[in-house]
């Protein structure tokens, strides 16, 4: 009965439209994940100043997951992440006070690309529990931006804000429940899901 209801709801749902058309033949750079903690570090949205600072290893894991997602889904080639790391560190070492947009424009110019993909983790709450039961579900807020370096402007934003809920409390999410095999996801799993959707919706 549950599977039948899931199939019915899925059939009625419509795919979300792309935020932007597929990129033309432009060079693409991919920045490493950052965790903005002040308004000045944001390209859009709200910063959670009380959010605990994530371990650097978590950000590196997210970078790897995003790179793997792009390699699996995208038709576009992109500059390797270690080039982006070098540029991000180089811009920071200058010690200049830059707005978020100016900072990422400088990173894109350093990478010598037309468009820069900027991923950011805004909120991160790990699951308390296991795959089959959680006292506290995972919750994340993730943003992915496309910045046109030549035009010096933000051209697209993908926003993923997800707290896993039991289908018992939200029947509209039963398709997600089935897709996730009835398991409670970790924050990393939710982030990977958000990346897959973001790469698709940004037209990458």
């Amino acid at each position: 009965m549950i599977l039948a209801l899931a199939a019915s709801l899925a059939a009625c749902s419509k795919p979300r439209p792309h935020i932007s058309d597929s990129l033309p033949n432009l060079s693409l750079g991919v920045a490493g994940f950052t965790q903005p903690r002040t308004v000045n570090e944001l390209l859009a949205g709200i910063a959670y100043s009380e959010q605990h600072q994530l371990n650097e290893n978590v950000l590196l894991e997210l970078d790897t997951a995003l790179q793997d997602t792009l390699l699996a889904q995208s038709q576009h080639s992109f500059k390797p992440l270690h080039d982006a790391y070098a540029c991000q560190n180089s811009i920071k070492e200058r010690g200049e006070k830059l707005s978020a947009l100016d900072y990422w424009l400088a990173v894109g110019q350093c990478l010598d690309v037309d468009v820069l993909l900027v991923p950011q983790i805004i909120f991160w709450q790990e699951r308390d529990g296991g795959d089959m039961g959680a006292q506290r579900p995972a919750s994340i807020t993730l943003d992915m931006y496309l910045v046109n370096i030549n035009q010096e402007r933000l051209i697209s934003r993908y926003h993923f804000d997800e707290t896993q809920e039991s289908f018992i409390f939200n029947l509209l999410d039963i398709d997600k429940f089935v897709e996730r095999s009835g398991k409670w996801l970790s924050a990393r799993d939710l982030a990977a899901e958000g990346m897959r959707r973001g790469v698709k919706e940004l037209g990458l």
Side-chain angles (χ1 to χ4, degrees), residues 23-61:
L23 291 176
N25 189 24
L26 298 174
S27 57
L28 176 67
V30 181
F33 264 93
T34 56
Q35 182 190 16
R37 299 174 65 79
T38 66
V39 173
N40 290 339
E41 296 173 316
L42 287 168
L43 281 166
I46 300 172
Y48 290 86
S49 57
E50 297 181 3
Q51 167 79 97
H52 68 279
Q53 188 162 2
L54 291 177
N55 186 289
E56 190 67 25
N57 288 334
V58 174
L59 297 178
L60 291 175
E61 288 175 17

Side-chain angles (χ1 to χ4, degrees), residues 85-125:
Y85 294 152
C87 284
Q88 287 175 241
N89 289 332
S90 174
I91 305 304
K92 288 177 183 177
E93 287 171 1
R94 294 181 191 173
E96 301 176 59
K97 291 185 178 180
L98 300 173
S99 68
L101 179 59
D102 286 340
Y103 170 77
W104 292 114
L105 287 173
V107 172
Q109 290 162 0
C110 172
L111 278 171
D112 192 24
V113 294
D114 299 311
V115 177
L116 182 66
L117 175 62
V118 179
Q120 296 188 324
I121 282 290
I122 309 302
F123 180 77
W124 179 280
Q125 174 181 283

Side-chain angles (χ1 to χ4, degrees), residues 109-195:
Q109 290 162 0
C110 172
L111 278 171
D112 192 24
V113 294
D114 299 311
V115 177
L116 182 66
L117 175 62
V118 179
Q120 296 188 324
I121 282 290
I122 309 302
F123 180 77
W124 179 280
Q125 174 181 283
E126 191 49 88
R127 173 190 67 194
D128 180 9
D131 290 351
M132 305 313 295
Q135 289 73 50
R136 183 186 67 182
S139 177
I140 73 159
T141 303
L142 176 155
D143 282 325
M144 296 168 66
Y145 301 92
L146 286 179
V147 180
N148 189 308
I149 305 304
N150 301 322
Q151 298 177 4
E152 299 186 350
R153 67 186 182 92
L154 177 65
I155 53 176
S156 292
R157 176 194 183 196
Y158 170 75
H159 182 70
F160 181 81
D161 187 349
E162 183 85 3
T163 300
Q164 188 172 3
E165 292 183 285
S166 168
F167 77 94
I168 295 174
F169 298 105
N170 189 351
L171 286 175
L172 294 177
D173 273 350
I174 195 169
D175 55 332
K176 292 182 182 178
F177 174 82
V178 174
E179 181 182 343
R180 295 164 178 169
S181 303
K183 295 181 179 179
W184 289 92
L185 304 185
S186 67
R188 289 171 177 78
D189 293 332
L190 274 184
E193 185 177 295
M195 289 179 219

